[in-house]
Amino acid sequence: MNEMELLYCDLQRKKAEAESRLLEYRKRLDDISGQKQSITIKKIHGDLYYYSQYRRDGKIKSRYLGPVSPGSIAEEERKQMEIESLTDEIRELQWNIESLERMTEYLQKRRKKEKIVDSLLFEVYWKDEITARVYARGSDVIISRFTDNPGKQLFAEKKMTRYQLGRIFELRCWEKDRPDINEILEYLGLDEYNPYEIVKKTHGVSCNDYIWFRFPGEKITSKDVLVR
């Protein structure tokens, strides 16, 4: 199981735990059979009385608790403190669950993309001369090199990591932080900056050389892609 799969499983576990606690806190709140109320003191005919106030149907309601005396409403105060604590816990858990859902949704998209590019094959050309054939599966990348000319060859070795290949893709793309990158991505029909998806659209061409990529199924030559 790779790092992304482990992270996805961890998020799922945390979400399940949060949902379980949310159900528990909601049940405890229901068992208390009350809503958050504020306790006030009213003076009536010269005597002081405790009242609880709460909102119902858009109106403020009052409930008599008893005359003011030390500790006479301690039980009600403890109840209100527990209601407030549970309400805060529920609110925080709901926020955490929403955050975990967003993170899980993002990872699901990344997992789909990762599966799509798990196996990758493409050819590298200098003008119409093939210089390399690249095959990637999982984290391993194998390169068949057909020239040692450094002006034509992108790959110095016959093997590399997926990360190293990703860096080469990045070097064949525009800078991620250039001011108009969002407009460029929109023009290419892409939702995010993904070097692999970009080079599939641009064939990895650059104004600095005559190197370009051909992906399986493409019947094209250098005249179709090069900008020089």
Side-chain angles (χ1 to χ4, degrees):
M1 188 177 292
N2 61 32
E3 184 177 350
M4 186 173 292
E5 293 287 341
L6 289 172
L7 180 57
Y8 179 80
C9 291
D10 186 53
L11 288 175
Q12 290 287 77
R13 177 183 58 79
K14 289 180 178 178
K15 180 172 176 285
E17 290 175 353
E19 288 173 336
S20 177
R21 290 200 304 273
L22 181 61
L23 289 175
E24 177 190 344
Y25 291 157
R26 281 176 171 168
K27 184 178 183 304
R28 286 169 57 185
L29 191 59
D30 289 340
D31 290 342
I32 295 174
S33 300
Q35 67 180 97
K36 183 69 177 72
Q37 301 178 12
S38 59
I39 298 175
T40 62
I41 296 176
K42 294 183 179 182
K43 189 173 185 179
I44 302 175
H45 304 305
D47 295 319
L48 299 176
Y49 300 93
Y50 284 119
Y51 280 83
S52 65
Q53 291 185 331
Y54 56 96
R55 186 175 294 275
R56 178 182 294 172
D57 300 327
K59 297 180 180 180
I60 295 178
K61 304 287 186 178
S62 294
R63 181 169 63 91
Y64 174 74
L65 298 177
V68 173
S69 63
S72 63
I73 60 167
E75 184 176 344
E76 181 66 27
E77 288 172 330
R78 285 194 293 269
K79 176 181 176 181
Q80 291 305 316
M81 289 169 63
E82 186 175 4
I83 290 174
E84 183 175 4
S85 176
L86 286 171
T87 302
D88 290 342
E89 290 283 357
I90 288 172
R91 187 182 300 113
E92 184 174 352
L93 279 170
Q94 288 174 328
W95 186 87
N96 288 340
I97 290 170
E98 289 175 2
S99 299
L100 288 167
E101 286 175 344
R102 287 193 294 269
M103 294 172 67
T104 302
E105 183 180 351
Y106 171 77
L107 274 182
Q108 284 177 325
K109 292 180 180 179
R110 297 301 303 175
R111 287 171 73 202
K112 288 180 181 178
K113 286 187 177 181
E114 194 174 75
K115 288 179 180 179
I116 291 173
V117 299
D118 183 61
S119 294
L120 174 63
L121 175 68
F122 65 96
E123 295 174 346
V124 184
Y125 286 82
W126 183 85
K127 294 187 176 180
D128 287 328
E129 175 188 345
I130 189 169
T131 60
R133 197 165 195 261
V134 181
Y135 176 66
R137 184 173 182 82
S139 59
D140 299 321
V141 181
I142 306 297
I143 301 105
S144 298
R145 301 168 73 251
F146 303 112
T147 181
D148 293 323
N149 187 328
K152 299 179 179 180
Q153 183 59 262
L154 278 179
F155 305 96
E157 304 292 338
K158 294 182 179 180
K159 290 184 179 181
M160 64 169 48
T161 65
R162 197 62 173 262
Y163 172 78
Q164 291 171 318
L165 179 61
R167 289 291 298 149
I168 288 178
F169 284 161
E170 288 182 24
L171 293 173
R172 308 301 294 184
C173 296
W174 301 280
E175 296 84 355
K176 188 176 182 179
D177 57 354
R178 62 179 288 167
D180 60 345
I181 190 62
N182 289 331
E183 287 80 0
I184 293 174
L185 294 177
E186 183 178 359
Y187 175 77
L188 294 176
L190 300 177
D191 297 326
E192 61 180 0
Y193 187 92
N194 183 317
Y196 169 70
E197 296 295 340
I198 291 174
V199 298
K200 280 192 68 178
K201 298 280 188 177
T202 65
H203 298 91
V205 298
S206 169
C207 294
N208 301 318
D209 54 45
Y210 296 104
I211 295 173
W212 60 283
F213 304 157
R214 188 190 73 83
F215 294 91
E218 294 180 332
K219 189 176 181 180
I220 54 177
T221 67
S222 60
K223 292 181 180 180
D224 299 308
V225 297
L226 291 180
V227 295
R228 294 180 63 182

